[in-house]
Amino acid sequence: MKVIIVGCGRVGSILANNLSQRGHQVTVIDNDPLAFEGLGPAYKGNRVVGVGFDRDILIQAGIQNSDALAAVTVSDEANVVAARTAKQVFHVPRVAARVYDPHKAEIYRRLGIATISPVAIGADRLAELLTFTHLDTKTSLGSGEVEIVEVSIPPGLEGRMVSDVDVPGELLVVSLTRAGKTIIPNPNTSF
């Protein structure tokens, strides 16, 4: 994949190195040429100095042939402008933006921009860590309507089948881990 990353701070540089190591062609845009030092010597992708939502800078970065763009600057507004430009003007298939303000993130999601809000994710995770629960939430989907949790099987369920605990629309067993190996169970798999 050809990926453009707008912003070369902590998240941008880690993302750029991660994707580059996976074999993707990565171009990072940042208006501060010193920011590229965070990429380190192992990074072999491209660097473009400029404003990440400027049309000419995006063209210089190769946006016409890009498969994805991630906007991860420190500015919610710059991230959304870059993301919308990529999506609506250049028709980049995969576009995502980091948005600190959870309220703005929801608005931008409604505009068709995939967003991640570290503030909302962090607050939710801290709340989970601080409140008592016997379930270990691994991730939430949507706006928290669906949670993937990990739980040890109580002795009373040993020998029972997955179909015995599945409750349509409420609870679904999606994986089982035994002796370090994880499988996707079917309804007849026993605990």
Side-chain angles (χ1 to χ4, degrees), residues 41-182:
Y43 176 73
K44 303 298 182 214
N46 299 316
R47 300 163 176 87
V48 175
V49 177
V51 176
F53 54 81
D54 180 279
R55 181 183 177 93
D56 293 333
I57 295 296
L58 288 167
I59 290 171
Q60 183 182 340
I63 196 161
Q64 296 102 320
N65 300 315
S66 291
D67 301 301
L69 178 136
V72 293
T73 74
V74 296
S75 167
D76 286 358
E77 291 75 19
N79 290 342
V80 171
V81 171
R84 290 197 77 189
T85 301
K87 189 173 183 87
Q88 294 178 342
V89 175
F90 294 102
H91 308 289
V92 175
R94 294 178 179 225
V95 176
R98 174 180 62 188
V99 181
Y100 289 105
D101 185 333
H103 300 295
K104 289 180 186 174
E106 183 56 37
I107 292 167
Y108 299 142
R109 262 188 229 112
R110 283 191 229 131
L111 293 173
I113 304 294
T115 62
I116 181 170
S117 176
V119 172
I121 291 168
D124 287 345
R125 185 64 181 138
L126 284 167
E128 291 166 2
L129 292 172
L130 296 174
T131 57
F132 175 77
T133 179
H134 60 282
L135 301 176
D136 182 13
T137 301
K138 294 300 181 186
T139 191
S140 293
L141 303 176
S143 298
E145 301 90 357
V146 175
E147 289 188 335
I148 296 179
V149 298
E150 183 176 55
V151 62
S152 295
I153 300 299
L157 286 181
E158 288 180 18
R160 306 269 313 260
M161 291 189 198
V162 167
S163 60
D164 294 335
V165 298
D166 281 346
V167 179
E170 295 292 324
L171 175 72
L172 177 65
V173 177
V174 295
S175 72
L176 289 175
T177 302
R178 294 182 181 132
K181 184 178 178 190
T182 301

